[in-house]
Amino acid sequence: MKSKALLFEILKSALWESGAGQLPDMTSKEATAILNEAERQAVIGLVFERLSIGKVSLPRDLVYQYIQMSQQIRQQNMLMNKSLCQFTQILQENGIGYVVVKGQSVASHYPKPLLRQSGDVDFYCKHDDFEKAKNLLPKLLGITFEGLHSRHHYSFDYQGVHYEMHFSLTDFYNKKRDAYWQHLVDDTPTATFELNGQKIATLEPTLHAFYIFQHLYEHLMELGVGLRQFCDWAVMLHSCRAQIDHAKLRQYAETLGMDKAMRACGVILIDYLGLPEEDFPYRLTDKDRKYSKRILDVVFYRGNMGHYNKRNGFRGRKHQVEATGIKVSHFVKFFPLAPKFTWQWICTEIPRKIRKA
C-alpha cells in the first residue's frame, strides 16, 4: 500500500508541477515497485521524470531501462504530433470536417505533453464528412481501412501512427439518450488546440470533459482502466477550468444517467490525484467516496485498459468467454452508480458478446 500512496504523491507532483525536490523518502526497492506499477498504469513517463528530478536512488540497469522507455514515449509523441498535423491539414484542404478527441488533444493540456504515454489518434466525422473521408482517404493517403464491422469506427495506419475514424463516439443503449448525445456532438460548436503551431479541431471543453469521463467509465466497467485516463480527466478539468461550464457538465451527466458514476470517479481525482475541489462540477460526500476502493481495486488489478491478470489474451473464443465474466463482475460491483445505463448495456452487449464468442 505504501508504494501506491507514493505513486499518487509522485503523480500529483507531475500533474501540477509541484514539489519535485520534496518527494517523500523512499528506498530503492520502493522506487522500483513504483516504476513497475507506473508502467502498468501507462504513466511511466510522468513518474520517471519526477523521480529523476527528485534524485531518487535506483539500480543502474533500471535507470537505463526507463531512460530508454521515456525516450520512446517522447519520440512516439513527436511522431504522432507530426503525423496528426499533416493529416488534419489534408482533411481541411479537402473540406472534410472532423474533431480530434482524447489523445493528443488532451496531452496538449499537460505541463509536459511529451511525457504523456500516447495510444492512437481518435477523430470523429459527422455523417456526410465521414462518407467523404471514407471515399477520399484511401486515394489520397494510400491507406486501407480495417475494422469495417466495428460499431463505432474504421481504423487505418498512416505514417507509423494508428488512427480510428469514428462515425459514432459512444452508445448509451437507449434511443432517447443516444439522440441527446448525438445532438450534443453534432451541434455544439467545436474548439481548437494547438500542436506544432497548427490549430486542430476538437470538442468544446465542457463536452470533451464529459466524453473523457464517459470513455474512462466505459473501460472501467468493461475490462479495466489505468491511472492515465484519470490523469487525462484531471488535467482537462484543471487546464480548461475557465472554459468548462459546471452546470452544463452536471446536466450532461444527469440527463445521460451518469451523475453518480461521475461523482464516484471524481473522488479519485480529488482525493488521490490532487485536483482542486473547485475544478470539479460536484461537491463530493462520504456517499460518493464509498466506491473509491472498488474503483482502485480494478485499476490496480487490471491495469491500463485491462491488460493485466487475464489468462487468455485479447482474441478468440476463450478471450470472449473470460472477458464476459470480467465484465459481469464489474457490472455487479458498480451497478448502483449508473443503473439504467448499466442494465441497458447488459441487455445489449452481453448477448452480442456471447453470439460473437
Side-chain angles (χ1 to χ4, degrees):
M1 286 301 295
K2 184 179 179 182
S3 64
K4 291 175 183 175
L6 288 170
L7 173 59
F8 282 121
E9 289 303 311
I10 295 165
L11 284 174
K12 287 179 189 178
S13 175
L15 295 178
W16 319 123
E17 288 276 270
S18 62
Q22 293 82 43
L23 291 178
D25 291 333
M26 65 189 81
T27 65
S28 176
K29 184 177 180 180
E30 287 169 341
T32 300
I34 290 165
L35 286 168
N36 287 338
E37 188 60 55
E39 187 176 349
R40 285 163 51 93
Q41 300 297 328
V43 291
I44 188 63
L46 304 174
V47 170
F48 182 66
E49 188 261 356
R50 289 285 105 178
L51 290 179
S52 300
I53 294 175
K55 299 178 180 178
V56 175
S57 176
L58 290 168
R60 184 173 295 180
D61 60 334
L62 272 185
V63 172
Y64 292 146
Q65 175 186 336
Y66 286 113
I67 285 176
Q68 184 179 33
M69 197 176 292
S70 295
Q71 287 174 338
Q72 289 171 347
I73 290 170
R74 290 174 183 271
Q75 288 167 357
Q76 181 63 19
N77 273 309
M78 289 188 286
L79 173 67
M80 291 186 75
N81 292 349
K82 181 179 178 181
S83 174
L84 182 56
C85 285
Q86 293 181 5
F87 177 70
T88 52
Q89 185 67 37
I90 290 169
L91 294 181
Q92 291 165 18
E93 288 171 354
N94 287 274
I96 300 172
Y98 72 92
V99 286
V100 172
V101 296
K102 304 187 285 99
Q104 302 309 95
S105 64
V106 176
S108 67
H109 295 291
Y110 274 73
K112 295 179 180 177
L114 294 181
L115 295 178
R116 178 192 178 271
Q117 190 165 321
S118 59
D120 47 28
V121 172
D122 292 88
F123 69 103
Y124 168 78
C125 297
K126 296 180 185 180
H127 181 269
D128 290 347
D129 289 307
F130 184 88
E131 292 300 315
K132 187 186 294 187
K134 187 172 70 172
N135 293 326
L136 279 179
L137 292 183
K139 301 171 189 175
L140 293 172
L141 308 179
I143 61 168
T144 301
F145 286 122
E146 303 168 359
L148 302 184
H149 302 293
S150 165
R151 294 169 57 250
H152 294 129
H153 66 265
Y154 289 2
S155 59
F156 58 90
D157 293 321
Y158 174 63
Q159 295 184 336
V161 175
H162 189 68
Y163 284 76
E164 292 188 352
M165 184 172 79
H166 290 255
F167 47 85
S168 170
L169 285 177
T170 193
D171 287 317
F172 288 92
Y173 309 100
N174 173 278
K175 287 184 179 180
K176 186 176 179 180
R177 291 194 182 103
D178 283 337
Y180 173 77
W181 170 249
Q182 201 59 47
H183 164 69
L184 291 176
V185 172
D186 286 345
D187 297 337
T188 302
T190 59
T192 61
F193 68 100
E194 191 166 307
L195 196 61
N196 293 353
Q198 180 176 322
K199 290 190 181 300
I200 295 176
T202 188
L203 293 175
E204 179 274 331
T206 306
L207 187 59
H208 204 176
F210 177 80
Y211 177 60
I212 290 167
F213 154 70
Q214 195 280 335
H215 183 261
L216 175 161
Y217 188 71
E218 185 170 341
H219 278 288
L220 174 70
M221 288 282 288
E222 289 200 332
L223 297 183
V225 71
L227 287 176
R228 185 192 66 175
Q229 283 70 33
F230 286 92
C231 290
D232 283 356
W233 191 27
V235 166
M236 181 77 187
L237 287 170
H238 181 69
S239 177
C240 297
R241 60 194 179 278
Q243 292 82 43
I244 290 175
D245 185 327
H246 283 181
K248 275 189 178 179
L249 190 50
R250 290 192 297 270
Q251 180 187 338
Y252 299 161
E254 289 157 17
T255 302
L256 293 165
M258 306 288 287
D259 48 310
K260 290 181 182 177
M262 181 177 281
R263 286 172 174 269
C265 290
V267 172
I268 310 304
L269 272 57
I270 293 170
D271 290 3
Y272 294 87
L273 292 175
L275 178 74
E277 290 185 28
E278 59 270 23
D279 293 346
F280 196 70
Y282 291 100
R283 291 294 165 260
L284 302 180
T285 67
D286 290 342
K287 188 176 180 181
D288 300 321
R289 291 178 168 86
K290 175 182 174 182
Y291 285 88
S292 59
K293 183 180 183 302
R294 295 186 204 183
I295 293 170
L296 290 177
D297 282 347
V298 171
V299 166
F300 284 110
Y301 187 67
R302 295 293 174 190
N304 186 52
M305 296 304 180
H307 283 175
Y308 296 89
N309 289 305
K310 281 187 87 277
R311 295 187 302 274
N312 297 299
F314 283 84
R315 293 184 183 277
R317 182 180 176 83
K318 288 185 177 179
H319 155 68
Q320 290 290 347
V321 172
E322 181 185 13
T324 299
I326 292 169
K327 291 173 186 179
V328 169
S329 73
H330 289 178
F331 292 157
V332 172
K333 268 184 183 162
F334 301 117
F335 186 84
L337 294 180
K340 289 183 180 179
F341 171 71
T342 306
W343 179 246
Q344 287 159 344
W345 188 355
I346 290 170
C347 292
T348 304
E349 282 294 288
I350 296 300
R352 190 177 72 86
K353 297 290 185 184
I354 291 172
R355 288 194 299 270
K356 192 175 178 181

